[in-house]
Amino acid sequence: MRMDSPARWWLVALTGLLFAVGGCADSTGANTEENGNGSNGPGNPPDWEQLYREEVESLAAAFERENGQPPPSDVEFVRFIEHWEYGEVHSQCVREQGFDAQPTFDNGVTYEDVPPEQGLALHEAIYRCQVAYPVHPRYSLPWTEEMIRTLYDYYVDELVPCLIAEGYPSQEAPSWDSFLAGYNTEHQWVPYDVVSVDSEEEWQRINEVCPQSPPTEELFGTSSS
């Protein structure tokens, strides 16, 4: 069974835990001109269409590397989706093309095992869904210092106490300055690094009880188009 997830969603890059169809937080940037809604200053939003075209080029190149031929060309953009829609939207999209796909509890997708002769067709179905229903590019923009601070405060004030209450090891949080300096590097502090589970059931349970990140709207604001 194959597992897949939102192409550029930041949670994976952030925690180093699970999915991608990518991972988002590209750099800490302390890019102070960008805000949590993904805009480069008041009234000057990024060019979402250009970012989408760049993502499609990347997806097409990856498809050709993996399959030894170009991807399907008969694919049209339908709409941007929010990261939390990924599992439902993409699994439905793949099912409509004749393959079994199911959403996972953390917004990823699992695909049925297929015989080798159907492998290319499955890859084409997944590619079509990625192009038609991409995760909104705002999730792949560099994080601002304000966003990183929101994450840090969540870690210290909510996540660590929750993990301790659930029986996982206590841990000393770094200072804010140390966290900022180590963010998006091999030295980044991630509270979930102490979480070791022996079953998928426990992994799902602890993620639901102690979410790995604060609510999306606290980091990214409301959806923009």
Side-chain angles (χ1 to χ4, degrees):
M1 180 174 289
R2 174 176 173 176
M3 183 176 290
D4 196 9
S5 68
R8 292 160 303 181
W9 192 38
W10 48 274
L11 180 58
V12 181
L14 191 61
T15 62
L17 293 171
L18 190 64
F19 325 109
V21 143
C24 150
D26 293 338
S27 73
T28 75
N31 185 344
T32 56
E33 292 185 358
E34 293 180 348
N35 64 34
N37 290 321
S39 59
N40 298 316
N44 186 28
D47 186 340
W48 301 129
E49 291 186 8
Q50 177 60 30
L51 291 173
Y52 167 71
R53 287 193 294 270
E54 292 173 359
E55 177 65 14
V56 171
E57 290 175 0
S58 178
L59 290 170
F63 181 96
E64 187 161 1
R65 284 195 303 272
E66 184 172 355
N67 297 283
Q69 65 181 60
S73 59
D74 59 338
V75 190
E76 294 185 1
F77 171 85
V78 177
R79 68 178 177 92
F80 288 129
I81 63 173
E82 302 301 319
H83 73 80
W84 47 263
E85 294 183 279
Y86 186 91
E88 289 290 346
V89 171
H90 278 237
S91 58
Q92 179 178 341
C93 177
V94 171
R95 287 197 301 271
E96 289 173 351
Q97 297 178 72
F99 295 95
D100 182 42
Q102 299 297 327
T104 64
F105 81 94
D106 41 9
N107 301 316
V109 181
T110 57
Y111 304 108
E112 66 175 334
D113 292 326
V114 298
E117 61 270 20
Q118 293 184 17
L120 177 60
L122 175 59
H123 289 176
E124 289 178 339
I126 294 170
Y127 175 84
R128 286 189 172 93
C129 296
Q130 291 171 336
V131 173
Y133 299 99
V135 175
H136 198 289
R138 70 193 183 104
Y139 293 111
S140 65
L141 294 175
W143 283 29
T144 66
E145 185 171 318
E146 180 182 0
M147 295 166 73
I148 300 170
R149 181 70 200 217
T150 298
L151 178 69
Y152 174 79
D153 289 343
Y154 172 77
Y155 278 177
V156 173
D157 298 336
E158 299 185 47
L159 181 53
V160 168
C162 182
L163 291 174
I164 293 173
E166 292 300 314
Y168 288 93
S170 61
Q171 47 192 308
E172 182 177 353
S175 68
W176 158 243
D177 289 339
S178 294
F179 180 78
L180 180 62
Y183 176 79
N184 205 33
T185 73
E186 61 181 329
H187 304 296
Q188 179 175 336
W189 175 61
V190 179
Y192 254 75
D193 283 348
V194 304
V195 176
S196 177
V197 301
D198 55 11
S199 69
E200 292 184 7
E201 290 76 13
E202 172 59 11
W203 178 250
Q204 178 171 344
R205 187 196 72 81
I206 193 61
N207 273 268
E208 292 173 345
V209 173
C210 302
Q212 294 185 38
S213 62
T216 302
E217 59 271 17
E218 293 184 13
L219 288 168
F220 295 95
T222 56
S223 177
S224 58
S225 57

